[in-house]
Amino acid sequence: MRILILGGDGYLGWPTAMHFSARGDVVAVVDNFAKRRWELEDGIEPLLPIPTLHARVRRWQAETGKEIELHVGDICNHRFIYTVIERFRPDAIVHYGEQPSAPYSMQSREAAVYTQHNNVVGNLNVLFAMKRFCPQAHLVKLGTMGEYGTPNIDIEEGWLTVNHNGRTDTVLYPKKPGSFYHLSKVHDSANIEFACRVWGLAATDLNQGVVYGIDTDDTCKHAELRTSFHYDHVFGTVLNRFLVQAATGRKLTVYGKGGQTRGFLNIRDTIQCVALACDKPAKAGEFRIFNQFTEQFSVRDIANKVEAAGKRAGLRVQIDNIPNPRVEMEEHYYNAKHTKLLDLGLKPNLLTDAVVDTMLDTVRRHSGAVQPATIMPTIKWKQ
Ligand SMILES: NC(=O)c1ccc[n+]([C@@H]2O[C@H](COP(=O)([O-])OP(=O)(O)OC[C@H]3O[C@@H](n4cnc5c(N)ncnc54)[C@H](O)[C@@H]3O)[C@@H](O)[C@H]2O)c1
């Protein structure tokens, strides 16, 4: 297949590009390096420095003999993305190229407007480019489980059949997202559904849970092929933050009561799910939605897992409940369906003690690079 990866310099985009390239697909990546600028704005760095995308593409070729085509540009510039898609003619477009952080989007009016402009307009440009140059291609779009929020009923995979006043219809599942970032993904989903229904495009929306993990088979091939590991309060996800806190003798900072429950998955399973979606595409006119996670945990569960891993490693780990900077339910019902990717053949890599121990060990080996000042949350939802 010819696979175009948008956001190919990112945490998930780069390992995905290597995965498809390794198995023999023709791969092109697009990025405008916006993430590197957001990091600079807040004085944040991943735990280990990440070589430039150009250097990683060269290293990949040196290690494997395989070429990844690289395009530098902004998806919000429709001329740029039109040109890339017209020339490359993808069979599948994997769209990771968005601002991915809830706290980033909540820090100011500018950041909220920027996030929604970047994500919604970029995604619209991709839809218009597909309609014009490759209407048979399949869009695999990364959404988030955070689109649903935490409703007091079971979360279905994208669609809900409703009986109302004696009549029945199937509608997009009602969304109650928790940040301007999550809202941008809801808007994307509505735009993609419209493009499939009206233009006949084929798309899969992957409502992804929180991803953890440092390595994939391909990132391990050379130090220059690694992907980013963020533990800071803007881009770091909860398990990463707790591991860094445990490794550096700091208390694990649980926001509020810690009963916030979410879906989680290993980075290896992100790649597996995206590959399954590409290999078994949606049909023309179909808007397919999968809930992409393998297990659900509360923040307290994750803290307990890291505390236990710390004990096994001979560390003294303490848990601290700090005021929650977010506005979210801290104890709630959560039961999200996630069978469609399993039906396609997903073989989950679960968050076992061995996985937590290996991640903690890696973080401890690099704990000298930790910037403690970037861990505590400074962005508040209501200020
Ligand atoms: N990592 C997670 O836990 C997680 C969970 C759910 C959903 N997602 C979604 O998956 C996708 C990838 O996440 P990630 O963690 O790899 O994020 P990331 O920030 O590491 O990667 C996104 C990449 O897209 C690029 N990008 C952003 N806007 C662009 C634009 N306008 N033009 C060109 N490139 C642009 C960035 O420079 C960055 O390299 C995002 O859409 C995110 O919302 C991630």
Side-chain angles (χ1 to χ4, degrees), residues 91-152:
D91 299 308
I93 300 175
V94 180
H95 183 8
Y96 289 114
E98 299 200 333
Q99 194 295 101
S101 159
Y104 184 94
S105 74
M106 295 301 290
Q107 60 189 322
S108 63
R109 185 201 67 85
E110 284 76 11
V113 171
Y114 169 79
T115 298
Q116 294 210 354
H117 180 270
N118 185 64
N119 295 1
V120 177
V121 174
N123 184 60
L124 273 173
N125 285 346
V126 172
L127 293 172
F128 274 89
M130 287 178 70
K131 172 174 174 267
R132 190 155 164 174
F133 301 111
C134 56
Q136 316 300 332
H138 176 213
L139 176 65
V140 176
K141 165 69 172 46
L142 271 291
T144 154
M145 286 300 294
E147 291 182 42
Y148 300 112
T150 51
N152 199 34

Side-chain angles (χ1 to χ4, degrees), residues 9-186:
D9 191 43
Y11 168 57
L12 302 175
W14 173 243
T16 304
M18 290 192 288
H19 176 80
F20 283 117
S21 175
R23 66 177 216 178
D25 295 305
V26 179
V27 177
V29 288
V30 166
D31 212 292
N32 66 348
F33 309 124
K35 173 74 170 287
R36 296 184 188 246
R37 182 167 55 77
W38 308 326
E39 290 169 6
L40 284 170
E41 283 171 14
D42 286 315
I44 281 164
E45 287 172 317
L47 185 62
L48 293 171
I50 300 300
T52 64
L53 187 54
H54 291 75
R56 291 194 283 178
V57 163
R58 280 196 299 272
R59 171 56 60 193
W60 178 248
Q61 185 159 19
E63 294 295 314
T64 64
K66 292 176 190 292
E67 201 177 326
I68 293 179
E69 200 177 300
L70 167 54
H71 299 274
V72 179
D74 188 342
I75 302 162
C76 291
N77 174 349
H78 75 276
R79 289 190 189 85
F80 163 73
I81 195 64
Y82 276 20
T83 307
V84 171
I85 288 181
E86 184 180 15
R87 293 202 184 135
F88 186 69
R89 298 271 165 191
D91 299 308
I93 300 175
V94 180
H95 183 8
Y96 289 114
E98 299 200 333
Q99 194 295 101
S101 159
Y104 184 94
S105 74
M106 295 301 290
Q107 60 189 322
S108 63
R109 185 201 67 85
E110 284 76 11
V113 171
Y114 169 79
T115 298
Q116 294 210 354
H117 180 270
N118 185 64
N119 295 1
V120 177
V121 174
N123 184 60
L124 273 173
N125 285 346
V126 172
L127 293 172
F128 274 89
M130 287 178 70
K131 172 174 174 267
R132 190 155 164 174
F133 301 111
C134 56
Q136 316 300 332
H138 176 213
L139 176 65
V140 176
K141 165 69 172 46
L142 271 291
T144 154
M145 286 300 294
E147 291 182 42
Y148 300 112
T150 51
N152 199 34
I153 54 173
D154 292 347
I155 297 174
E156 302 298 324
E157 295 201 61
W159 299 93
L160 185 68
T161 299
V162 181
N163 294 309
H164 182 65
N165 293 346
R167 300 184 68 82
T168 299
D169 203 354
T170 298
V171 296
L172 282 177
Y173 192 95
K175 308 277 179 75
K176 213 194 271 181
S179 74
F180 287 117
Y181 152 68
H182 291 104
L183 274 155
S184 75
K185 298 285 190 181
V186 175

